[in-house]
Amino acid sequence: MPKKEQLPVWDLSAFYKNVDDPKIKSDAKKNLINSQKFTKRFKNRLAGFDAKQLLAALQQLEKIYTLTSKLANFAELTLSVDSQNPKNNVLYQQMMDHALAIQSNLIFFDLEIMELPESQIKKLINSPALLNYKHHLTDLLHYKPHHLSEAEEQIFNDKSTTGASAFNRLFDQHFASRKFEVTLGNVTKTMTESEALNLTMVPNRSTRKAAAEGITKTLNADAKMLTLIYNTIVKDAAINTRWHKYKIPEQPRHMSNEIDQKTVDTMTTVIVEGYGIVEDFYNFKRRVMKLPKLYIYDRYAPISSSEQNFSFGQAKQIVFDSFEKFSPKFAAAAKEFFDKKWIHAPVSPGKRGGAYCSYNTNDTHPVVFLNYLGKARDVQTLAHELGHGINAYLMRKQTYLNYGNPLTMAETASVFGEMLVFDDLKEKIKNPKEKFALYVDKIQDIFSTVFRQTAMYKFEQDFHALQKTKGELTTDEINLLWITRQKEMFGKSLDLTGSEQWWSYIPHFLHTPFYVYAYSFGELMVLSLYAQYKKNPQGFVPKYLDLMSAGSIRTPQELLKPFNINLSDRKFWQGGINIIKELVTEAKLIYAQTKKRK
């Protein structure tokens, strides 16, 4: 990536001018007053409401929640770009406190609906006036066995900012400012987490090794604090599980994803049974690279001898071309992210690591957050996050309570964006050596999305289960859980020495426990959807755009009905694994072609 290229930074003026904008304070004050008025008007009165009265209440509720999210999102976006600015930290805490106060005022609403007689709830749900909220109200009923009294829910709400969220904030601030020391030759360089991780993917093996050693050294130095943070989050989840009468700690995640434990278990069982594909591929990669052994730092090693870089402009064009080929409407939505400055791409001190898309609110716009370093994986990450972004962009016609997806459906949108880029490049590249490199990168990305995320999900299950029986775990005990699941996936193909504590930099375990299986779900779903697209592009595209626009107005199974997908069918998940196996076979055949050309 050319050093002089200026990477885009986002324009958040649709939210507020800056952290000092006086409108933030006035909006928060207005919102708090409106929530108090809402409580006075509706509390203890829902039992006598008809459909039209409940509709009016829901519409007012959406206005309050929309402004609450707008304030909180602006604060979080600002903090994620620069956590070293004290003003950003102050605003973030103020907006978290504001959201807490709003929730405290409105917590009665869902509880009162859940307490209505079943006959009345069913009558309201089936009322034409409430058609837009039918799924939302039906979904509320699923939580009825797990709600507490209003006083108890208030206690959980009031303590939320001093519990898990406080430790999440500590984790984010720590890694945003943490410097990783990597010794390259005789020179020791300090760098961000993103920069250090990026070096584990470069062609030079000694550089990869040095980066891995630097990451391990830093994580080991922070072991005591990170172990405490993780133990606290897991304990917090156990408390919530017990009080809200969930059977297992991942149950609330399954419920929010609108998927049952049996389906998740079926999917993960099929994936684990397919771990042999991973071991076979990495043994193949070792032979291609002519190495006696692969180590953890060789996992993402490029098979090309030269490191290919992509300017952001090149990445933009690659993604745009592939989206345009799929659908002009899809590409037009992506174009707005570039034209209207909805992307933040530079790596900078104090900036959070990783990448994400924030959907924000339906009356503003989504934004994409990157740490762009110009590698092939960064191009795929751009496509991934824009997949999320287009999903959010297309569903802005939905009202607040239907604006968003379960994580499983959200990850389907993002992974589909990646697949479009891969498929387009696969057709454009004619040189077998270049095509083989493309396949290797894609296969490794799919492995990361399907197999690695499943291994991480199993690790989470192990962590929560062991802490329940044993109490707080030591770093060594957590390390053993992590490395056991990693070895289960890689078999004997990789030496994982030194990566025992690499669980401790992954934010998903803290911010969104049990999130990670949604990646596996999304990837396997996309492989199925993409096969349908290739067979009938004209028939598929309108259905897919409808899926992306629907939000959460219906259940995932209902939304997938036009595609004839049965999530409970083991054969469906096995079909996705078979496609992955076919990709590995194709890669081996392409590699054979490279040998013949010599």
Side-chain angles (χ1 to χ4, degrees), residues 288-321:
V288 169
M289 297 182 73
K290 298 178 180 178
L291 294 171
K293 181 187 287 190
L294 292 184
Y295 291 88
I296 184 63
Y297 49 82
D298 296 317
R299 179 177 46 175
Y300 295 122
I303 51 89
S304 173
S305 58
S306 61
E307 186 176 2
Q308 187 175 9
N309 289 319
F310 298 86
S311 71
F312 191 81
Q314 289 173 322
K316 171 185 173 181
Q317 196 61 49
I318 289 169
V319 172
F320 187 79
D321 287 348

PDB file of all heavy atoms in Angstrom, residues 288-321:
ATOM      1  N   VAL A 288       3.696 -27.943  -0.010  1.00  0.00           N
ATOM      2  CA  VAL A 288       3.842 -26.887  -1.014  1.00  0.00           C
ATOM      3  C   VAL A 288       4.955 -25.927  -0.620  1.00  0.00           C
ATOM      4  O   VAL A 288       5.764 -25.505  -1.453  1.00  0.00           O
ATOM      5  CB  VAL A 288       2.515 -26.119  -1.187  1.00  0.00           C
ATOM      6  CG1 VAL A 288       2.715 -24.854  -2.029  1.00  0.00           C
ATOM      7  CG2 VAL A 288       1.452 -27.006  -1.821  1.00  0.00           C
ATOM      8  N   MET A 289       5.015 -25.588   0.664  1.00  0.00           N
ATOM      9  CA  MET A 289       6.014 -24.635   1.147  1.00  0.00           C
ATOM     10  C   MET A 289       7.369 -25.303   1.401  1.00  0.00           C
ATOM     11  O   MET A 289       8.342 -24.633   1.763  1.00  0.00           O
ATOM     12  CB  MET A 289       5.518 -23.960   2.433  1.00  0.00           C
ATOM     13  CG  MET A 289       4.260 -23.125   2.228  1.00  0.00           C
ATOM     14  SD  MET A 289       3.702 -22.290   3.742  1.00  0.00           S
ATOM     15  CE  MET A 289       4.977 -21.013   3.868  1.00  0.00           C
ATOM     16  N   LYS A 290       7.414 -26.645   1.248  1.00  0.00           N
ATOM     17  CA  LYS A 290       8.644 -27.423   1.410  1.00  0.00           C
ATOM     18  C   LYS A 290       9.275 -27.191   2.784  1.00  0.00           C
ATOM     19  O   LYS A 290      10.479 -26.948   2.915  1.00  0.00           O
ATOM     20  CB  LYS A 290       9.633 -27.082   0.300  1.00  0.00           C
ATOM     21  CG  LYS A 290       9.103 -27.421  -1.087  1.00  0.00           C
ATOM     22  CD  LYS A 290      10.080 -27.027  -2.186  1.00  0.00           C
ATOM     23  CE  LYS A 290       9.508 -27.376  -3.561  1.00  0.00           C
ATOM     24  NZ  LYS A 290      10.430 -26.957  -4.665  1.00  0.00           N
ATOM     25  N   LEU A 291       8.429 -27.295   3.804  1.00  0.00           N
ATOM     26  CA  LEU A 291       8.882 -27.114   5.183  1.00  0.00           C
ATOM     27  C   LEU A 291       8.731 -28.433   5.937  1.00  0.00           C
ATOM     28  O   LEU A 291       7.763 -29.178   5.715  1.00  0.00           O
ATOM     29  CB  LEU A 291       8.062 -26.025   5.887  1.00  0.00           C
ATOM     30  CG  LEU A 291       8.227 -24.601   5.356  1.00  0.00           C
ATOM     31  CD1 LEU A 291       7.209 -23.673   5.994  1.00  0.00           C
ATOM     32  CD2 LEU A 291       9.650 -24.088   5.603  1.00  0.00           C
ATOM     33  N   PRO A 292       9.647 -28.749   6.838  1.00  0.00           N
ATOM     34  CA  PRO A 292       9.532 -29.985   7.616  1.00  0.00           C
ATOM     35  C   PRO A 292       8.380 -29.923   8.627  1.00  0.00           C
ATOM     36  O   PRO A 292       7.837 -30.967   8.993  1.00  0.00           O
ATOM     37  CB  PRO A 292      10.887 -30.083   8.327  1.00  0.00           C
ATOM     38  CG  PRO A 292      11.401 -28.679   8.367  1.00  0.00           C
ATOM     39  CD  PRO A 292      10.911 -28.029   7.123  1.00  0.00           C
ATOM     40  N   LYS A 293       8.038 -28.714   9.063  1.00  0.00           N
ATOM     41  CA  LYS A 293       6.973 -28.557  10.051  1.00  0.00           C
ATOM     42  C   LYS A 293       6.371 -27.160   9.925  1.00  0.00           C
ATOM     43  O   LYS A 293       7.072 -26.198   9.598  1.00  0.00           O
ATOM     44  CB  LYS A 293       7.535 -28.746  11.468  1.00  0.00           C
ATOM     45  CG  LYS A 293       6.472 -28.632  12.566  1.00  0.00           C
ATOM     46  CD  LYS A 293       7.080 -28.654  13.966  1.00  0.00           C
ATOM     47  CE  LYS A 293       7.558 -30.037  14.342  1.00  0.00           C
ATOM     48  NZ  LYS A 293       7.928 -30.093  15.795  1.00  0.00           N
ATOM     49  N   LEU A 294       5.050 -27.070  10.164  1.00  0.00           N
ATOM     50  CA  LEU A 294       4.381 -25.771  10.217  1.00  0.00           C
ATOM     51  C   LEU A 294       4.134 -25.399  11.674  1.00  0.00           C
ATOM     52  O   LEU A 294       3.712 -26.235  12.475  1.00  0.00           O
ATOM     53  CB  LEU A 294       3.040 -25.800   9.473  1.00  0.00           C
ATOM     54  CG  LEU A 294       3.055 -25.958   7.955  1.00  0.00           C
ATOM     55  CD1 LEU A 294       1.635 -25.863   7.409  1.00  0.00           C
ATOM     56  CD2 LEU A 294       3.933 -24.912   7.284  1.00  0.00           C
ATOM     57  N   TYR A 295       4.380 -24.132  11.987  1.00  0.00           N
ATOM     58  CA  TYR A 295       4.119 -23.614  13.327  1.00  0.00           C
ATOM     59  C   TYR A 295       2.918 -22.669  13.284  1.00  0.00           C
ATOM     60  O   TYR A 295       2.401 -22.364  12.201  1.00  0.00           O
ATOM     61  CB  TYR A 295       5.359 -22.891  13.860  1.00  0.00           C
ATOM     62  CG  TYR A 295       6.510 -23.831  14.159  1.00  0.00           C
ATOM     63  CD1 TYR A 295       7.436 -24.161  13.159  1.00  0.00           C
ATOM     64  CD2 TYR A 295       6.671 -24.406  15.417  1.00  0.00           C
ATOM     65  CE1 TYR A 295       8.491 -25.038  13.412  1.00  0.00           C
ATOM     66  CE2 TYR A 295       7.721 -25.285  15.682  1.00  0.00           C
ATOM     67  CZ  TYR A 295       8.622 -25.593  14.679  1.00  0.00           C
ATOM     68  OH  TYR A 295       9.649 -26.460  14.932  1.00  0.00           O
ATOM     69  N   ILE A 296       2.496 -22.213  14.450  1.00  0.00           N
ATOM     70  CA  ILE A 296       1.323 -21.348  14.527  1.00  0.00           C
ATOM     71  C   ILE A 296       1.486 -20.122  13.633  1.00  0.00           C
ATOM     72  O   ILE A 296       0.536 -19.640  13.025  1.00  0.00           O
ATOM     73  CB  ILE A 296       1.032 -20.931  15.992  1.00  0.00           C
ATOM     74  CG1 ILE A 296      -0.256 -20.100  16.085  1.00  0.00           C
ATOM     75  CG2 ILE A 296       2.207 -20.185  16.606  1.00  0.00           C
ATOM     76  CD1 ILE A 296      -1.512 -20.814  15.673  1.00  0.00           C
ATOM     77  N   TYR A 297       2.710 -19.622  13.520  1.00  0.00           N
ATOM     78  CA  TYR A 297       2.946 -18.420  12.716  1.00  0.00           C
ATOM     79  C   TYR A 297       2.972 -18.704  11.210  1.00  0.00           C
ATOM     80  O   TYR A 297       3.117 -17.786  10.397  1.00  0.00           O
ATOM     81  CB  TYR A 297       4.242 -17.709  13.143  1.00  0.00           C
ATOM     82  CG  TYR A 297       5.456 -18.605  13.264  1.00  0.00           C
ATOM     83  CD1 TYR A 297       6.199 -18.950  12.143  1.00  0.00           C
ATOM     84  CD2 TYR A 297       5.865 -19.086  14.506  1.00  0.00           C
ATOM     85  CE1 TYR A 297       7.309 -19.771  12.238  1.00  0.00           C
ATOM     86  CE2 TYR A 297       6.985 -19.903  14.623  1.00  0.00           C
ATOM     87  CZ  TYR A 297       7.710 -20.237  13.488  1.00  0.00           C
ATOM     88  OH  TYR A 297       8.816 -21.052  13.590  1.00  0.00           O
ATOM     89  N   ASP A 298       2.839 -19.974  10.834  1.00  0.00           N
ATOM     90  CA  ASP A 298       2.745 -20.334   9.419  1.00  0.00           C
ATOM     91  C   ASP A 298       1.298 -20.504   8.960  1.00  0.00           C
ATOM     92  O   ASP A 298       1.054 -20.763   7.775  1.00  0.00           O
ATOM     93  CB  ASP A 298       3.499 -21.644   9.152  1.00  0.00           C
ATOM     94  CG  ASP A 298       4.986 -21.528   9.408  1.00  0.00           C
ATOM     95  OD1 ASP A 298       5.567 -20.514   9.000  1.00  0.00           O
ATOM     96  OD2 ASP A 298       5.555 -22.453  10.034  1.00  0.00           O
ATOM     97  N   ARG A 299       0.384 -20.383   9.882  1.00  0.00           N
ATOM     98  CA  ARG A 299      -1.021 -20.673   9.575  1.00  0.00           C
ATOM     99  C   ARG A 299      -1.525 -19.829   8.405  1.00  0.00           C
ATOM    100  O   ARG A 299      -2.189 -20.327   7.500  1.00  0.00           O
ATOM    101  CB  ARG A 299      -1.876 -20.419  10.818  1.00  0.00           C
ATOM    102  CG  ARG A 299      -3.358 -20.662  10.625  1.00  0.00           C
ATOM    103  CD  ARG A 299      -4.119 -20.450  11.911  1.00  0.00           C
ATOM    104  NE  ARG A 299      -3.721 -19.219  12.587  1.00  0.00           N
ATOM    105  CZ  ARG A 299      -4.300 -18.755  13.683  1.00  0.00           C
ATOM    106  NH1 ARG A 299      -5.286 -19.429  14.243  1.00  0.00           N
ATOM    107  NH2 ARG A 299      -3.900 -17.635  14.235  1.00  0.00           N
ATOM    108  N   TYR A 300      -1.247 -18.521   8.426  1.00  0.00           N
ATOM    109  CA  TYR A 300      -1.719 -17.634   7.367  1.00  0.00           C
ATOM    110  C   TYR A 300      -0.583 -17.195   6.435  1.00  0.00           C
ATOM    111  O   TYR A 300      -0.707 -16.189   5.739  1.00  0.00           O
ATOM    112  CB  TYR A 300      -2.396 -16.401   7.972  1.00  0.00           C
ATOM    113  CG  TYR A 300      -3.654 -16.725   8.741  1.00  0.00           C
ATOM    114  CD1 TYR A 300      -3.774 -16.373  10.086  1.00  0.00           C
ATOM    115  CD2 TYR A 300      -4.720 -17.385   8.139  1.00  0.00           C
ATOM    116  CE1 TYR A 300      -4.925 -16.675  10.807  1.00  0.00           C
ATOM    117  CE2 TYR A 300      -5.867 -17.693   8.844  1.00  0.00           C
ATOM    118  CZ  TYR A 300      -5.964 -17.335  10.187  1.00  0.00           C
ATOM    119  OH  TYR A 300      -7.102 -17.634  10.887  1.00  0.00           O
ATOM    120  N   ALA A 301       0.493 -17.929   6.435  1.00  0.00           N
ATOM    121  CA  ALA A 301       1.614 -17.582   5.560  1.00  0.00           C
ATOM    122  C   ALA A 301       1.175 -17.643   4.103  1.00  0.00           C
ATOM    123  O   ALA A 301       0.562 -18.614   3.669  1.00  0.00           O
ATOM    124  CB  ALA A 301       2.772 -18.545   5.783  1.00  0.00           C
ATOM    125  N   PRO A 302       1.463 -16.586   3.335  1.00  0.00           N
ATOM    126  CA  PRO A 302       1.131 -16.633   1.904  1.00  0.00           C
ATOM    127  C   PRO A 302       2.007 -17.642   1.195  1.00  0.00           C
ATOM    128  O   PRO A 302       3.177 -17.816   1.544  1.00  0.00           O
ATOM    129  CB  PRO A 302       1.421 -15.203   1.435  1.00  0.00           C
ATOM    130  CG  PRO A 302       2.403 -14.662   2.419  1.00  0.00           C
ATOM    131  CD  PRO A 302       2.100 -15.325   3.727  1.00  0.00           C
ATOM    132  N   ILE A 303       1.458 -18.316   0.215  1.00  0.00           N
ATOM    133  CA  ILE A 303       2.260 -19.310  -0.512  1.00  0.00           C
ATOM    134  C   ILE A 303       3.050 -18.655  -1.632  1.00  0.00           C
ATOM    135  O   ILE A 303       3.933 -19.262  -2.211  1.00  0.00           O
ATOM    136  CB  ILE A 303       1.379 -20.460  -1.052  1.00  0.00           C
ATOM    137  CG1 ILE A 303       0.182 -19.924  -1.821  1.00  0.00           C
ATOM    138  CG2 ILE A 303       0.929 -21.352   0.082  1.00  0.00           C
ATOM    139  CD1 ILE A 303       0.409 -19.689  -3.267  1.00  0.00           C
ATOM    140  N   SER A 304       2.752 -17.371  -1.910  1.00  0.00           N
ATOM    141  CA  SER A 304       3.515 -16.628  -2.905  1.00  0.00           C
ATOM    142  C   SER A 304       4.776 -16.080  -2.256  1.00  0.00           C
ATOM    143  O   SER A 304       4.772 -15.688  -1.094  1.00  0.00           O
ATOM    144  CB  SER A 304       2.671 -15.466  -3.451  1.00  0.00           C
ATOM    145  OG  SER A 304       3.436 -14.652  -4.297  1.00  0.00           O
ATOM    146  N   SER A 305       5.865 -16.032  -3.025  1.00  0.00           N
ATOM    147  CA  SER A 305       7.135 -15.560  -2.470  1.00  0.00           C
ATOM    148  C   SER A 305       7.170 -14.052  -2.309  1.00  0.00           C
ATOM    149  O   SER A 305       7.974 -13.523  -1.553  1.00  0.00           O
ATOM    150  CB  SER A 305       8.290 -15.996  -3.381  1.00  0.00           C
ATOM    151  OG  SER A 305       8.099 -15.480  -4.688  1.00  0.00           O
ATOM    152  N   SER A 306       6.314 -13.353  -3.019  1.00  0.00           N
ATOM    153  CA  SER A 306       6.282 -11.895  -2.904  1.00  0.00           C
ATOM    154  C   SER A 306       4.982 -11.478  -2.224  1.00  0.00           C
ATOM    155  O   SER A 306       3.930 -12.088  -2.430  1.00  0.00           O
ATOM    156  CB  SER A 306       6.373 -11.238  -4.279  1.00  0.00           C
ATOM    157  OG  SER A 306       5.284 -11.629  -5.088  1.00  0.00           O
ATOM    158  N   GLU A 307       5.072 -10.436  -1.441  1.00  0.00           N
ATOM    159  CA  GLU A 307       3.923  -9.958  -0.688  1.00  0.00           C
ATOM    160  C   GLU A 307       3.142  -8.972  -1.540  1.00  0.00           C
ATOM    161  O   GLU A 307       3.654  -7.921  -1.935  1.00  0.00           O
ATOM    162  CB  GLU A 307       4.398  -9.279   0.595  1.00  0.00           C
ATOM    163  CG  GLU A 307       3.267  -8.876   1.524  1.00  0.00           C
ATOM    164  CD  GLU A 307       3.807  -8.295   2.821  1.00  0.00           C
ATOM    165  OE1 GLU A 307       5.039  -8.173   2.954  1.00  0.00           O
ATOM    166  OE2 GLU A 307       2.991  -7.951   3.685  1.00  0.00           O
ATOM    167  N   GLN A 308       1.896  -9.303  -1.852  1.00  0.00           N
ATOM    168  CA  GLN A 308       1.076  -8.429  -2.691  1.00  0.00           C
ATOM    169  C   GLN A 308       0.352  -7.411  -1.826  1.00  0.00           C
ATOM    170  O   GLN A 308      -0.309  -7.762  -0.845  1.00  0.00           O
ATOM    171  CB  GLN A 308       0.065  -9.249  -3.492  1.00  0.00           C
ATOM    172  CG  GLN A 308      -0.705  -8.425  -4.517  1.00  0.00           C
ATOM    173  CD  GLN A 308      -1.599  -9.285  -5.379  1.00  0.00           C
ATOM    174  OE1 GLN A 308      -1.779 -10.466  -5.112  1.00  0.00           O
ATOM    175  NE2 GLN A 308      -2.166  -8.695  -6.422  1.00  0.00           N
ATOM    176  N   ASN A 309       0.481  -6.142  -2.192  1.00  0.00           N
ATOM    177  CA  ASN A 309      -0.195  -5.077  -1.474  1.00  0.00           C
ATOM    178  C   ASN A 309      -1.277  -4.463  -2.351  1.00  0.00           C
ATOM    179  O   ASN A 309      -1.154  -4.437  -3.584  1.00  0.00           O
ATOM    180  CB  ASN A 309       0.796  -3.991  -1.052  1.00  0.00           C
ATOM    181  CG  ASN A 309       1.708  -4.453   0.060  1.00  0.00           C
ATOM    182  OD1 ASN A 309       1.274  -5.113   0.987  1.00  0.00           O
ATOM    183  ND2 ASN A 309       2.995  -4.134  -0.056  1.00  0.00           N
ATOM    184  N   PHE A 310      -2.304  -3.945  -1.713  1.00  0.00           N
ATOM    185  CA  PHE A 310      -3.408  -3.303  -2.423  1.00  0.00           C
ATOM    186  C   PHE A 310      -3.633  -1.921  -1.830  1.00  0.00           C
ATOM    187  O   PHE A 310      -3.826  -1.790  -0.619  1.00  0.00           O
ATOM    188  CB  PHE A 310      -4.697  -4.127  -2.282  1.00  0.00           C
ATOM    189  CG  PHE A 310      -4.623  -5.504  -2.872  1.00  0.00           C
ATOM    190  CD1 PHE A 310      -4.125  -6.565  -2.125  1.00  0.00           C
ATOM    191  CD2 PHE A 310      -5.042  -5.745  -4.167  1.00  0.00           C
ATOM    192  CE1 PHE A 310      -4.055  -7.844  -2.656  1.00  0.00           C
ATOM    193  CE2 PHE A 310      -4.972  -7.020  -4.715  1.00  0.00           C
ATOM    194  CZ  PHE A 310      -4.482  -8.074  -3.951  1.00  0.00           C
ATOM    195  N   SER A 311      -3.598  -0.901  -2.687  1.00  0.00           N
ATOM    196  CA  SER A 311      -3.978   0.424  -2.201  1.00  0.00           C
ATOM    197  C   SER A 311      -5.458   0.385  -1.847  1.00  0.00           C
ATOM    198  O   SER A 311      -6.195  -0.509  -2.293  1.00  0.00           O
ATOM    199  CB  SER A 311      -3.731   1.475  -3.281  1.00  0.00           C
ATOM    200  OG  SER A 311      -4.667   1.339  -4.338  1.00  0.00           O
ATOM    201  N   PHE A 312      -5.901   1.337  -1.062  1.00  0.00           N
ATOM    202  CA  PHE A 312      -7.319   1.359  -0.714  1.00  0.00           C
ATOM    203  C   PHE A 312      -8.159   1.598  -1.968  1.00  0.00           C
ATOM    204  O   PHE A 312      -9.248   1.035  -2.106  1.00  0.00           O
ATOM    205  CB  PHE A 312      -7.606   2.445   0.330  1.00  0.00           C
ATOM    206  CG  PHE A 312      -8.988   2.350   0.908  1.00  0.00           C
ATOM    207  CD1 PHE A 312      -9.267   1.450   1.924  1.00  0.00           C
ATOM    208  CD2 PHE A 312     -10.023   3.136   0.418  1.00  0.00           C
ATOM    209  CE1 PHE A 312     -10.559   1.327   2.445  1.00  0.00           C
ATOM    210  CE2 PHE A 312     -11.309   3.031   0.932  1.00  0.00           C
ATOM    211  CZ  PHE A 312     -11.580   2.127   1.952  1.00  0.00           C
ATOM    212  N   GLY A 313      -7.618   2.394  -2.886  1.00  0.00           N
ATOM    213  CA  GLY A 313      -8.327   2.624  -4.136  1.00  0.00           C
ATOM    214  C   GLY A 313      -8.503   1.340  -4.931  1.00  0.00           C
ATOM    215  O   GLY A 313      -9.569   1.099  -5.518  1.00  0.00           O
ATOM    216  N   GLN A 314      -7.464   0.502  -4.950  1.00  0.00           N
ATOM    217  CA  GLN A 314      -7.563  -0.784  -5.635  1.00  0.00           C
ATOM    218  C   GLN A 314      -8.587  -1.694  -4.950  1.00  0.00           C
ATOM    219  O   GLN A 314      -9.388  -2.361  -5.612  1.00  0.00           O
ATOM    220  CB  GLN A 314      -6.200  -1.470  -5.658  1.00  0.00           C
ATOM    221  CG  GLN A 314      -5.189  -0.808  -6.579  1.00  0.00           C
ATOM    222  CD  GLN A 314      -3.805  -1.406  -6.439  1.00  0.00           C
ATOM    223  OE1 GLN A 314      -3.373  -1.760  -5.332  1.00  0.00           O
ATOM    224  NE2 GLN A 314      -3.095  -1.537  -7.556  1.00  0.00           N
ATOM    225  N   ALA A 315      -8.536  -1.719  -3.621  1.00  0.00           N
ATOM    226  CA  ALA A 315      -9.490  -2.540  -2.857  1.00  0.00           C
ATOM    227  C   ALA A 315     -10.917  -2.092  -3.135  1.00  0.00           C
ATOM    228  O   ALA A 315     -11.814  -2.917  -3.337  1.00  0.00           O
ATOM    229  CB  ALA A 315      -9.180  -2.434  -1.369  1.00  0.00           C
ATOM    230  N   LYS A 316     -11.120  -0.792  -3.146  1.00  0.00           N
ATOM    231  CA  LYS A 316     -12.443  -0.229  -3.429  1.00  0.00           C
ATOM    232  C   LYS A 316     -12.942  -0.683  -4.792  1.00  0.00           C
ATOM    233  O   LYS A 316     -14.099  -1.108  -4.933  1.00  0.00           O
ATOM    234  CB  LYS A 316     -12.366   1.298  -3.369  1.00  0.00           C
ATOM    235  CG  LYS A 316     -13.612   2.026  -3.847  1.00  0.00           C
ATOM    236  CD  LYS A 316     -13.383   3.532  -3.860  1.00  0.00           C
ATOM    237  CE  LYS A 316     -14.538   4.277  -4.502  1.00  0.00           C
ATOM    238  NZ  LYS A 316     -14.304   5.742  -4.536  1.00  0.00           N
ATOM    239  N   GLN A 317     -12.065  -0.637  -5.807  1.00  0.00           N
ATOM    240  CA  GLN A 317     -12.476  -1.009  -7.162  1.00  0.00           C
ATOM    241  C   GLN A 317     -12.771  -2.498  -7.266  1.00  0.00           C
ATOM    242  O   GLN A 317     -13.731  -2.902  -7.934  1.00  0.00           O
ATOM    243  CB  GLN A 317     -11.388  -0.619  -8.160  1.00  0.00           C
ATOM    244  CG  GLN A 317     -11.874  -0.599  -9.608  1.00  0.00           C
ATOM    245  CD  GLN A 317     -12.994   0.401  -9.839  1.00  0.00           C
ATOM    246  OE1 GLN A 317     -12.903   1.553  -9.436  1.00  0.00           O
ATOM    247  NE2 GLN A 317     -14.066  -0.053 -10.470  1.00  0.00           N
ATOM    248  N   ILE A 318     -11.951  -3.321  -6.621  1.00  0.00           N
ATOM    249  CA  ILE A 318     -12.173  -4.766  -6.630  1.00  0.00           C
ATOM    250  C   ILE A 318     -13.542  -5.100  -6.037  1.00  0.00           C
ATOM    251  O   ILE A 318     -14.323  -5.872  -6.607  1.00  0.00           O
ATOM    252  CB  ILE A 318     -11.061  -5.490  -5.845  1.00  0.00           C
ATOM    253  CG1 ILE A 318      -9.735  -5.426  -6.609  1.00  0.00           C
ATOM    254  CG2 ILE A 318     -11.438  -6.951  -5.574  1.00  0.00           C
ATOM    255  CD1 ILE A 318      -8.536  -5.879  -5.796  1.00  0.00           C
ATOM    256  N   VAL A 319     -13.822  -4.519  -4.888  1.00  0.00           N
ATOM    257  CA  VAL A 319     -15.096  -4.783  -4.215  1.00  0.00           C
ATOM    258  C   VAL A 319     -16.258  -4.244  -5.037  1.00  0.00           C
ATOM    259  O   VAL A 319     -17.268  -4.929  -5.243  1.00  0.00           O
ATOM    260  CB  VAL A 319     -15.093  -4.164  -2.802  1.00  0.00           C
ATOM    261  CG1 VAL A 319     -16.479  -4.269  -2.163  1.00  0.00           C
ATOM    262  CG2 VAL A 319     -14.063  -4.854  -1.915  1.00  0.00           C
ATOM    263  N   PHE A 320     -16.102  -3.015  -5.544  1.00  0.00           N
ATOM    264  CA  PHE A 320     -17.195  -2.401  -6.301  1.00  0.00           C
ATOM    265  C   PHE A 320     -17.506  -3.193  -7.570  1.00  0.00           C
ATOM    266  O   PHE A 320     -18.676  -3.419  -7.904  1.00  0.00           O
ATOM    267  CB  PHE A 320     -16.840  -0.953  -6.648  1.00  0.00           C
ATOM    268  CG  PHE A 320     -17.971  -0.194  -7.284  1.00  0.00           C
ATOM    269  CD1 PHE A 320     -19.002   0.327  -6.505  1.00  0.00           C
ATOM    270  CD2 PHE A 320     -18.025  -0.018  -8.656  1.00  0.00           C
ATOM    271  CE1 PHE A 320     -20.060   1.010  -7.088  1.00  0.00           C
ATOM    272  CE2 PHE A 320     -19.084   0.670  -9.253  1.00  0.00           C
ATOM    273  CZ  PHE A 320     -20.102   1.186  -8.462  1.00  0.00           C
ATOM    274  N   ASP A 321     -16.471  -3.634  -8.280  1.00  0.00           N
ATOM    275  CA  ASP A 321     -16.684  -4.400  -9.517  1.00  0.00           C
ATOM    276  C   ASP A 321     -17.454  -5.690  -9.246  1.00  0.00           C
ATOM    277  O   ASP A 321     -18.365  -6.064 -10.005  1.00  0.00           O
ATOM    278  CB  ASP A 321     -15.340  -4.735 -10.171  1.00  0.00           C
ATOM    279  CG  ASP A 321     -14.680  -3.524 -10.821  1.00  0.00           C
ATOM    280  OD1 ASP A 321     -15.350  -2.486 -10.965  1.00  0.00           O
ATOM    281  OD2 ASP A 321     -13.483  -3.616 -11.164  1.00  0.00           O
TER     282      ASP A 321
END
